[in-house]
Amino acid sequence: MAYTSPAVVIDNGSYTTKAGFAREDLPSLVFNSNYMVNPETQAVIVGDDALEANCQNEVMTLLDNGLIYNYDNIIHNWQYVYDNIDNHNPIDAKEYPLVLTEQSWNTPQNKVTTCQIVFESLEVPIFSLVKTPIAQLYRAGKSTGLVIDIGSSVTSVTPILDGIIQQKSSYHSKYAGDFLNLHVLNYLESKTPFNNLIPAQFAHASDSFKHYYASHNILQEYKNLSISYQIKSYQLYNHENINVQDQRNYLENLFDPTLNKLPNVTVPEPTLDKPGSHGLTNLVFLALKNLESSLLPSSNDTTSQNKFARFIEIFKELLSNVFITGGTASANGLPDHIINDLRALTQKYFPNYPFSYAVQQIRPNNTENSETWDRQFGAWLGACNLASMLNDHNEDSNSAKIALDNWFITKADYEELGEDLIVEKFK
């Protein structure tokens, strides 16, 4: 059965929500994932312009550690998509398939709660949860690869073999874009008071709004300018110029989170039993070492020798398909830094295997803008590719059936089979 209506695809990130129809080349909606509640009417406020217009209210979050935790209000985020997706005209959720992305460490209970909302409250006809790294790698045209995703709130390292996430060798940490923002803010506050960073029109805004605005505007703009153009001064809204020639390369904090101290922020010393306490290079190393221990045969008989040859083949393919993605990964020079570190890692810690020469970064598109879009919207674009299979009307193709059998749950199946079907289909 092929569907005629295009799927609605929503990628909820901690920083922004990306949404649009699966047939589109880029998401038609990119808006802040935070929200407010009007204290008088209890109405939920969503959308960049609406947040600014109500700046006196507190700004609240929907995600933590890359996962939705605020299920009481996530439906308002999704409803905002349905109300605005068609050139800011509403559509009926009952008439369109829905695809959401999820992190690979999402919990079974979260999956069940998500399905309850989309089927019972939104009443969508058919639904899928697509794992973010799978969508990103699929977008790159690969089924095996090492996905390094550096987003706003989370950095993750995910080995994928033949389309299967190696969960026990997948790690993530909170040393990502927001962590860099803390260093940038600390630096700017050493030059000028925090309130000087905020436009005068928001002088009486709530503290949470001021910090939200600084993060999504000033800090983001400053990072983009200073990394891409090595600026010597930065102009504030009040036309004050800050001399930034003595700035440090704060990207290094991704690789060594303990490098520069932050006031009132305790960064724990990294330990082997807590992968999330490590910087980016060590996070990749721990993922590869764990994968090695799970794949490497322990004996030297003929069968093990064949397995060893297969192990070498798998690692070479994995390391020749390194996909670096996420909004923070757009920082100038960061991908090359990661690849160089990865080559050095394999030479130092895997000297008996011919891996180092194989380390290569996947670039889905050759043009600079396309690469930027793929980093920012890779998960959304990959999920669109999978969702588009539902609309395949080619009689010689089984794409629609494959999608329905493997990745989607219909409302009727949900009502009949419930939680067991969700856990099995989206495991």
Side-chain angles (χ1 to χ4, degrees):
M1 174 186 175
Y3 280 75
T4 55
S5 299
V8 171
V9 180
I10 304 175
D11 176 29
N12 284 120
S14 300
Y15 186 69
T16 56
T17 294
K18 285 75 70 176
F21 292 115
R23 66 191 177 198
E24 296 174 329
D25 295 329
L26 290 173
S28 57
L29 292 173
V30 179
F31 61 96
N32 189 269
S33 294
N34 294 334
Y35 73 100
M36 294 173 171
V37 175
N38 185 310
E40 296 179 359
T41 65
Q42 297 304 302
V44 174
I45 302 166
V46 181
D48 297 19
D49 293 341
L51 293 183
E52 291 193 12
N54 294 272
C55 63
Q56 73 280 1
N57 295 324
E58 298 299 321
V59 178
M60 291 174 275
T61 60
L62 293 168
L63 287 85
D64 180 50
N65 197 31
L67 304 181
I68 297 169
Y69 77 91
N70 189 334
Y71 279 97
D72 289 336
N73 287 297
I74 189 65
I75 189 171
H76 298 288
N77 176 284
W78 297 338
Q79 189 61 57
Y80 179 86
V81 172
Y82 284 105
D83 289 342
N84 293 276
I85 191 172
D86 187 12
N87 197 25
H88 297 288
N89 293 310
I91 63 171
D92 189 347
K94 299 176 185 178
E95 298 177 0
Y96 295 85
L98 173 63
V99 175
L100 296 176
T101 60
E102 62 167 351
Q103 296 289 2
S104 58
W105 56 91
N106 199 15
T107 67
Q109 184 54 53
N110 281 1
K111 299 173 195 282
V112 170
T113 303
T114 298
C115 286
Q116 289 173 343
I117 293 173
V118 301
F119 282 125
E120 296 175 16
S121 297
L122 295 176
E123 299 185 73
V124 303
I126 181 171
F127 172 64
S128 181
L129 273 172
V130 176
K131 290 180 173 57
T132 294
I134 290 286
Q136 291 164 330
L137 196 61
Y138 186 88
R139 168 68 180 173
K142 303 290 183 179
S143 60
T144 293
L146 182 67
V147 179
I148 301 174
D149 186 354
I150 312 167
S152 172
S153 65
V154 176
T155 289
S156 62
V157 178
T158 310
I160 300 175
L161 305 179
D162 295 325
I164 298 174
I165 292 176
Q166 306 304 296
Q167 292 282 10
K168 293 182 179 180
S169 302
S170 299
Y171 297 122
H172 64 278
S173 81
K174 292 189 176 182
Y175 300 128
D178 291 344
F179 182 65
L180 293 184
N181 280 352
L182 293 177
H183 288 276
V184 174
L185 181 59
N186 182 50
Y187 177 79
L188 291 178
E189 284 188 306
S190 71
K191 302 290 185 178
T192 189
F194 174 76
N195 282 335
N196 285 356
L197 302 175
I198 307 300
Q201 68 195 81
F202 300 126
H204 301 292
S206 66
D207 287 344
S208 61
F209 178 86
K210 289 179 180 178
H211 281 89
Y212 146 78
Y213 188 90
S215 174
H216 285 258
N217 295 276
I218 292 87
L219 303 185
Q220 192 68 22
E221 179 185 65
Y222 176 84
K223 284 194 302 184
N224 291 340
L225 288 172
S226 60
I227 291 173
S228 301
Y229 303 104
Q230 297 297 309
I231 59 172
K232 296 181 179 180
S233 66
Y234 179 70
Q235 188 176 67
L236 303 178
Y237 287 94
N238 62 4
H239 303 295
E240 175 188 354
N241 281 292
I242 298 177
N243 186 331
V244 295
Q245 292 188 71
D246 62 340
Q247 65 177 334
R248 296 174 179 175
N249 184 0
Y250 44 81
L251 287 177
E252 291 299 327
N253 295 291
L254 285 176
F255 299 89
D256 182 1
T258 63
L259 182 65
N260 298 302
K261 302 299 183 184
L262 286 166
N264 304 316
V265 176
T266 301
V267 177
E269 290 295 323
T271 58
L272 285 177
D273 61 331
K274 295 181 179 179
S277 66
H278 288 264
L280 180 53
T281 301
N282 282 354
L283 205 64
V284 175
F285 168 73
L286 291 172
L288 293 179
K289 289 299 288 184
N290 192 289
L291 191 62
E292 177 195 35
S293 65
S294 65
L295 295 177
L296 193 64
S298 56
S299 61
N300 292 318
D301 56 28
T302 303
T303 301
S304 294
Q305 290 175 7
N306 291 335
K307 288 183 179 178
F308 181 80
R310 176 59 180 153
F311 162 74
I312 294 291
E313 182 182 331
I314 289 172
F315 254 60
K316 284 170 63 178
E317 185 178 4
L318 184 78
L319 293 173
S320 63
N321 293 300
V322 179
F323 189 55
I324 301 171
T325 187
T328 304
S330 298
N332 186 39
L334 182 56
D336 290 337
H337 190 328
I338 295 170
I339 292 298
N340 289 337
D341 276 10
L342 189 47
R343 286 174 179 154
L345 269 178
T346 57
Q347 292 169 3
K348 183 176 181 179
Y349 295 105
F350 302 92
N352 299 321
Y353 315 135
F355 292 153
S356 58
Y357 74 90
V359 176
Q360 296 291 334
Q361 182 186 170
I362 303 173
R363 287 184 167 90
N365 296 287
N366 294 322
T367 63
E368 183 178 349
N369 285 341
S370 293
E371 191 168 338
T372 299
W373 297 143
D374 273 298
R375 286 196 179 125
Q376 293 183 350
F377 307 134
W380 184 86
L381 292 166
C384 285
N385 292 152
L386 292 170
S388 295
M389 295 173 67
L390 287 174
N391 303 122
D392 189 348
H393 297 278
N394 189 337
E395 294 181 0
D396 296 327
S397 172
N398 292 321
S399 295
K401 185 177 187 306
I402 291 172
L404 285 167
D405 290 345
N406 292 282
W407 300 310
F408 283 85
I409 292 177
T410 65
K411 191 171 188 293
D413 287 341
Y414 165 77
E415 291 172 345
E416 179 182 354
L417 302 173
E419 186 173 327
D420 291 340
L421 175 63
I422 296 167
V423 173
E424 175 60 28
K425 186 65 71 82
F426 298 144
K427 63 184 177 182

PDB file of all heavy atoms in Angstrom, residues 359-379:
ATOM      1  N   VAL A 359      41.257   5.960   7.289  1.00  0.00           N
ATOM      2  CA  VAL A 359      40.381   6.968   7.890  1.00  0.00           C
ATOM      3  C   VAL A 359      40.036   8.053   6.870  1.00  0.00           C
ATOM      4  O   VAL A 359      40.912   8.759   6.382  1.00  0.00           O
ATOM      5  CB  VAL A 359      41.046   7.604   9.126  1.00  0.00           C
ATOM      6  CG1 VAL A 359      40.160   8.717   9.684  1.00  0.00           C
ATOM      7  CG2 VAL A 359      41.314   6.554  10.192  1.00  0.00           C
ATOM      8  N   GLN A 360      38.742   8.148   6.559  1.00  0.00           N
ATOM      9  CA  GLN A 360      38.270   9.139   5.595  1.00  0.00           C
ATOM     10  C   GLN A 360      36.920   9.681   6.046  1.00  0.00           C
ATOM     11  O   GLN A 360      36.097   8.960   6.600  1.00  0.00           O
ATOM     12  CB  GLN A 360      38.124   8.544   4.191  1.00  0.00           C
ATOM     13  CG  GLN A 360      39.418   8.077   3.558  1.00  0.00           C
ATOM     14  CD  GLN A 360      40.349   9.222   3.200  1.00  0.00           C
ATOM     15  OE1 GLN A 360      39.891  10.339   2.977  1.00  0.00           O
ATOM     16  NE2 GLN A 360      41.643   8.956   3.153  1.00  0.00           N
ATOM     17  N   GLN A 361      36.697  10.957   5.792  1.00  0.00           N
ATOM     18  CA  GLN A 361      35.423  11.594   6.112  1.00  0.00           C
ATOM     19  C   GLN A 361      34.468  11.499   4.928  1.00  0.00           C
ATOM     20  O   GLN A 361      34.863  11.729   3.789  1.00  0.00           O
ATOM     21  CB  GLN A 361      35.662  13.068   6.470  1.00  0.00           C
ATOM     22  CG  GLN A 361      34.400  13.805   6.875  1.00  0.00           C
ATOM     23  CD  GLN A 361      34.623  15.288   7.080  1.00  0.00           C
ATOM     24  OE1 GLN A 361      33.680  16.051   7.237  1.00  0.00           O
ATOM     25  NE2 GLN A 361      35.885  15.720   7.071  1.00  0.00           N
ATOM     26  N   ILE A 362      33.221  11.130   5.207  1.00  0.00           N
ATOM     27  CA  ILE A 362      32.188  11.128   4.174  1.00  0.00           C
ATOM     28  C   ILE A 362      31.708  12.552   3.949  1.00  0.00           C
ATOM     29  O   ILE A 362      31.408  13.282   4.906  1.00  0.00           O
ATOM     30  CB  ILE A 362      30.965  10.283   4.589  1.00  0.00           C
ATOM     31  CG1 ILE A 362      31.367   8.849   4.928  1.00  0.00           C
ATOM     32  CG2 ILE A 362      29.920  10.279   3.481  1.00  0.00           C
ATOM     33  CD1 ILE A 362      30.231   8.043   5.498  1.00  0.00           C
ATOM     34  N   ARG A 363      31.616  12.939   2.715  1.00  0.00           N
ATOM     35  CA  ARG A 363      31.010  14.226   2.360  1.00  0.00           C
ATOM     36  C   ARG A 363      29.886  13.946   1.367  1.00  0.00           C
ATOM     37  O   ARG A 363      30.152  13.683   0.189  1.00  0.00           O
ATOM     38  CB  ARG A 363      32.049  15.170   1.761  1.00  0.00           C
ATOM     39  CG  ARG A 363      33.026  15.728   2.787  1.00  0.00           C
ATOM     40  CD  ARG A 363      33.970  16.731   2.149  1.00  0.00           C
ATOM     41  NE  ARG A 363      34.701  17.501   3.145  1.00  0.00           N
ATOM     42  CZ  ARG A 363      35.878  17.121   3.652  1.00  0.00           C
ATOM     43  NH1 ARG A 363      36.429  15.991   3.231  1.00  0.00           N
ATOM     44  NH2 ARG A 363      36.493  17.864   4.552  1.00  0.00           N
ATOM     45  N   PRO A 364      28.637  13.964   1.817  1.00  0.00           N
ATOM     46  CA  PRO A 364      27.511  13.600   0.939  1.00  0.00           C
ATOM     47  C   PRO A 364      27.414  14.461  -0.305  1.00  0.00           C
ATOM     48  O   PRO A 364      27.005  14.002  -1.360  1.00  0.00           O
ATOM     49  CB  PRO A 364      26.287  13.795   1.838  1.00  0.00           C
ATOM     50  CG  PRO A 364      26.808  13.726   3.228  1.00  0.00           C
ATOM     51  CD  PRO A 364      28.194  14.285   3.159  1.00  0.00           C
ATOM     52  N   ASN A 365      27.768  15.723  -0.201  1.00  0.00           N
ATOM     53  CA  ASN A 365      27.686  16.628  -1.346  1.00  0.00           C
ATOM     54  C   ASN A 365      28.999  17.384  -1.496  1.00  0.00           C
ATOM     55  O   ASN A 365      29.734  17.579  -0.541  1.00  0.00           O
ATOM     56  CB  ASN A 365      26.538  17.631  -1.172  1.00  0.00           C
ATOM     57  CG  ASN A 365      25.191  16.936  -1.154  1.00  0.00           C
ATOM     58  OD1 ASN A 365      24.717  16.480  -2.178  1.00  0.00           O
ATOM     59  ND2 ASN A 365      24.587  16.825   0.017  1.00  0.00           N
ATOM     60  N   ASN A 366      29.283  17.815  -2.705  1.00  0.00           N
ATOM     61  CA  ASN A 366      30.558  18.462  -2.981  1.00  0.00           C
ATOM     62  C   ASN A 366      30.552  19.967  -2.741  1.00  0.00           C
ATOM     63  O   ASN A 366      31.587  20.575  -2.543  1.00  0.00           O
ATOM     64  CB  ASN A 366      30.985  18.194  -4.436  1.00  0.00           C
ATOM     65  CG  ASN A 366      31.274  16.721  -4.665  1.00  0.00           C
ATOM     66  OD1 ASN A 366      31.828  16.080  -3.789  1.00  0.00           O
ATOM     67  ND2 ASN A 366      30.902  16.211  -5.822  1.00  0.00           N
ATOM     68  N   THR A 367      29.364  20.597  -2.787  1.00  0.00           N
ATOM     69  CA  THR A 367      29.312  22.053  -2.647  1.00  0.00           C
ATOM     70  C   THR A 367      29.331  22.440  -1.170  1.00  0.00           C
ATOM     71  O   THR A 367      28.841  21.711  -0.308  1.00  0.00           O
ATOM     72  CB  THR A 367      28.047  22.618  -3.300  1.00  0.00           C
ATOM     73  OG1 THR A 367      26.898  22.107  -2.623  1.00  0.00           O
ATOM     74  CG2 THR A 367      27.986  22.226  -4.778  1.00  0.00           C
ATOM     75  N   GLU A 368      29.893  23.615  -0.895  1.00  0.00           N
ATOM     76  CA  GLU A 368      30.043  24.062   0.490  1.00  0.00           C
ATOM     77  C   GLU A 368      28.699  24.225   1.186  1.00  0.00           C
ATOM     78  O   GLU A 368      28.504  23.795   2.314  1.00  0.00           O
ATOM     79  CB  GLU A 368      30.815  25.379   0.509  1.00  0.00           C
ATOM     80  CG  GLU A 368      31.081  25.904   1.916  1.00  0.00           C
ATOM     81  CD  GLU A 368      31.885  27.181   1.915  1.00  0.00           C
ATOM     82  OE1 GLU A 368      32.419  27.544   0.850  1.00  0.00           O
ATOM     83  OE2 GLU A 368      31.973  27.817   2.973  1.00  0.00           O
ATOM     84  N   ASN A 369      27.722  24.852   0.513  1.00  0.00           N
ATOM     85  CA  ASN A 369      26.413  25.070   1.130  1.00  0.00           C
ATOM     86  C   ASN A 369      25.715  23.755   1.424  1.00  0.00           C
ATOM     87  O   ASN A 369      25.086  23.590   2.462  1.00  0.00           O
ATOM     88  CB  ASN A 369      25.543  25.950   0.234  1.00  0.00           C
ATOM     89  CG  ASN A 369      25.961  27.410   0.274  1.00  0.00           C
ATOM     90  OD1 ASN A 369      26.638  27.836   1.202  1.00  0.00           O
ATOM     91  ND2 ASN A 369      25.582  28.168  -0.735  1.00  0.00           N
ATOM     92  N   SER A 370      25.814  22.804   0.483  1.00  0.00           N
ATOM     93  CA  SER A 370      25.156  21.517   0.675  1.00  0.00           C
ATOM     94  C   SER A 370      25.724  20.791   1.885  1.00  0.00           C
ATOM     95  O   SER A 370      24.992  20.157   2.651  1.00  0.00           O
ATOM     96  CB  SER A 370      25.322  20.648  -0.575  1.00  0.00           C
ATOM     97  OG  SER A 370      24.622  21.205  -1.666  1.00  0.00           O
ATOM     98  N   GLU A 371      27.056  20.902   2.081  1.00  0.00           N
ATOM     99  CA  GLU A 371      27.664  20.257   3.236  1.00  0.00           C
ATOM    100  C   GLU A 371      27.163  20.895   4.531  1.00  0.00           C
ATOM    101  O   GLU A 371      26.915  20.197   5.526  1.00  0.00           O
ATOM    102  CB  GLU A 371      29.187  20.365   3.142  1.00  0.00           C
ATOM    103  CG  GLU A 371      29.908  19.494   4.157  1.00  0.00           C
ATOM    104  CD  GLU A 371      31.394  19.387   3.865  1.00  0.00           C
ATOM    105  OE1 GLU A 371      31.798  19.611   2.711  1.00  0.00           O
ATOM    106  OE2 GLU A 371      32.140  19.073   4.807  1.00  0.00           O
ATOM    107  N   THR A 372      26.987  22.204   4.523  1.00  0.00           N
ATOM    108  CA  THR A 372      26.451  22.896   5.693  1.00  0.00           C
ATOM    109  C   THR A 372      25.035  22.438   5.997  1.00  0.00           C
ATOM    110  O   THR A 372      24.681  22.154   7.149  1.00  0.00           O
ATOM    111  CB  THR A 372      26.461  24.421   5.469  1.00  0.00           C
ATOM    112  OG1 THR A 372      27.804  24.856   5.260  1.00  0.00           O
ATOM    113  CG2 THR A 372      25.884  25.152   6.674  1.00  0.00           C
ATOM    114  N   TRP A 373      24.195  22.346   4.954  1.00  0.00           N
ATOM    115  CA  TRP A 373      22.818  21.880   5.159  1.00  0.00           C
ATOM    116  C   TRP A 373      22.808  20.455   5.694  1.00  0.00           C
ATOM    117  O   TRP A 373      21.995  20.117   6.567  1.00  0.00           O
ATOM    118  CB  TRP A 373      22.021  21.935   3.854  1.00  0.00           C
ATOM    119  CG  TRP A 373      21.821  23.297   3.259  1.00  0.00           C
ATOM    120  CD1 TRP A 373      21.818  23.626   1.940  1.00  0.00           C
ATOM    121  CD2 TRP A 373      21.558  24.542   3.944  1.00  0.00           C
ATOM    122  NE1 TRP A 373      21.593  24.954   1.752  1.00  0.00           N
ATOM    123  CE2 TRP A 373      21.429  25.554   2.964  1.00  0.00           C
ATOM    124  CE3 TRP A 373      21.432  24.892   5.283  1.00  0.00           C
ATOM    125  CZ2 TRP A 373      21.176  26.880   3.292  1.00  0.00           C
ATOM    126  CZ3 TRP A 373      21.193  26.220   5.613  1.00  0.00           C
ATOM    127  CH2 TRP A 373      21.065  27.190   4.632  1.00  0.00           C
ATOM    128  N   ASP A 374      23.692  19.603   5.166  1.00  0.00           N
ATOM    129  CA  ASP A 374      23.712  18.211   5.618  1.00  0.00           C
ATOM    130  C   ASP A 374      24.113  18.100   7.081  1.00  0.00           C
ATOM    131  O   ASP A 374      23.632  17.212   7.787  1.00  0.00           O
ATOM    132  CB  ASP A 374      24.662  17.386   4.744  1.00  0.00           C
ATOM    133  CG  ASP A 374      23.979  16.842   3.494  1.00  0.00           C
ATOM    134  OD1 ASP A 374      23.039  16.057   3.645  1.00  0.00           O
ATOM    135  OD2 ASP A 374      24.368  17.223   2.378  1.00  0.00           O
ATOM    136  N   ARG A 375      24.990  18.987   7.533  1.00  0.00           N
ATOM    137  CA  ARG A 375      25.372  18.944   8.950  1.00  0.00           C
ATOM    138  C   ARG A 375      24.233  19.441   9.831  1.00  0.00           C
ATOM    139  O   ARG A 375      23.960  18.881  10.884  1.00  0.00           O
ATOM    140  CB  ARG A 375      26.636  19.775   9.167  1.00  0.00           C
ATOM    141  CG  ARG A 375      27.876  19.077   8.619  1.00  0.00           C
ATOM    142  CD  ARG A 375      29.145  19.678   9.163  1.00  0.00           C
ATOM    143  NE  ARG A 375      30.279  18.941   8.613  1.00  0.00           N
ATOM    144  CZ  ARG A 375      31.282  19.486   7.954  1.00  0.00           C
ATOM    145  NH1 ARG A 375      31.297  20.795   7.751  1.00  0.00           N
ATOM    146  NH2 ARG A 375      32.272  18.753   7.504  1.00  0.00           N
ATOM    147  N   GLN A 376      23.564  20.504   9.404  1.00  0.00           N
ATOM    148  CA  GLN A 376      22.500  21.076  10.225  1.00  0.00           C
ATOM    149  C   GLN A 376      21.203  20.270  10.156  1.00  0.00           C
ATOM    150  O   GLN A 376      20.479  20.166  11.147  1.00  0.00           O
ATOM    151  CB  GLN A 376      22.231  22.521   9.788  1.00  0.00           C
ATOM    152  CG  GLN A 376      23.378  23.471  10.080  1.00  0.00           C
ATOM    153  CD  GLN A 376      23.046  24.903   9.690  1.00  0.00           C
ATOM    154  OE1 GLN A 376      22.045  25.166   9.035  1.00  0.00           O
ATOM    155  NE2 GLN A 376      23.882  25.823  10.100  1.00  0.00           N
ATOM    156  N   PHE A 377      20.921  19.727   8.981  1.00  0.00           N
ATOM    157  CA  PHE A 377      19.626  19.070   8.762  1.00  0.00           C
ATOM    158  C   PHE A 377      19.766  17.597   8.375  1.00  0.00           C
ATOM    159  O   PHE A 377      18.826  17.004   7.862  1.00  0.00           O
ATOM    160  CB  PHE A 377      18.858  19.805   7.657  1.00  0.00           C
ATOM    161  CG  PHE A 377      18.709  21.282   7.872  1.00  0.00           C
ATOM    162  CD1 PHE A 377      18.955  22.185   6.849  1.00  0.00           C
ATOM    163  CD2 PHE A 377      18.319  21.791   9.102  1.00  0.00           C
ATOM    164  CE1 PHE A 377      18.810  23.552   7.029  1.00  0.00           C
ATOM    165  CE2 PHE A 377      18.173  23.155   9.309  1.00  0.00           C
ATOM    166  CZ  PHE A 377      18.425  24.041   8.273  1.00  0.00           C
ATOM    167  N   GLY A 378      20.939  17.001   8.606  1.00  0.00           N
ATOM    168  CA  GLY A 378      21.198  15.636   8.138  1.00  0.00           C
ATOM    169  C   GLY A 378      20.188  14.614   8.623  1.00  0.00           C
ATOM    170  O   GLY A 378      19.728  13.760   7.858  1.00  0.00           O
ATOM    171  N   ALA A 379      19.833  14.681   9.910  1.00  0.00           N
ATOM    172  CA  ALA A 379      18.874  13.715  10.449  1.00  0.00           C
ATOM    173  C   ALA A 379      17.507  13.897   9.803  1.00  0.00           C
ATOM    174  O   ALA A 379      16.829  12.924   9.460  1.00  0.00           O
ATOM    175  CB  ALA A 379      18.770  13.861  11.965  1.00  0.00           C
TER     176      ALA A 379
END
